[in-house]
Amino acid sequence: SSGINAEYGGACQSKSWVPFLLSLGIDVYSLQRLSGGVRNPTERQEMELGRRKVAMGLYLLRSPFYESFSEERLGKLVGAVNSVPILGLLTDGVTDYLPDWRALYSYLWAS
């Protein structure tokens, strides 16, 4: 772990579900409105829609959802994939850097 984890680790330690659920609800509503409200989206609108879909996936790394659900399942998935020779090399990098990525993501999300 690097200094980022020590410095910003507190940002991803929040255990409150209220801000998480409120933020998720607003993002889901916004995504539904955006995707359902445009018949022929421009390239820029399609890019924004794609960006928002990726952001929805990142909710899996946010506290408290990560600690309650994703962390254990991700650990099991990585453990299973580690037995596959070439894929094991990739998962080693993910498990090594995931705490730093979460801390950085939480810091950037909070700002």
Side-chain angles (χ1 to χ4, degrees):
S1 288
S2 69
I4 291 175
N5 206 17
E7 254 181 272
Y8 302 116
C12 64
Q13 299 298 323
S14 174
K15 303 290 183 202
S16 176
W17 281 93
V18 174
F20 176 86
L21 293 174
L22 190 59
S23 176
L24 178 63
I26 291 169
D27 282 347
V28 167
Y29 176 76
S30 173
L31 184 61
Q32 286 178 339
R33 296 279 303 185
L34 181 65
S35 61
V38 180
R39 289 181 186 248
N40 297 316
T42 65
E43 183 178 337
R44 186 174 179 171
Q45 288 170 325
E46 287 180 7
M47 287 176 56
E48 177 63 17
L49 193 56
R51 186 193 68 76
R52 289 186 186 202
K53 287 178 181 178
V54 168
M56 294 300 295
L58 291 175
Y59 271 91
L60 298 174
L61 297 178
R62 285 191 185 174
S63 294
F65 189 86
Y66 180 79
E67 288 85 3
S68 299
F69 300 104
S70 302
E71 186 172 29
E72 182 181 342
R73 287 167 180 81
L74 186 59
K76 288 179 181 179
L77 176 66
V78 168
V81 172
N82 269 340
S83 62
V84 179
I86 295 175
L87 293 178
L89 296 172
L90 296 173
T91 57
D92 282 344
V94 169
T95 54
D96 290 346
Y97 290 104
L98 185 61
D100 294 333
W101 292 336
R102 284 195 65 241
L104 181 62
Y105 171 70
S106 296
Y107 171 72
L108 293 174
W109 175 69
S111 59

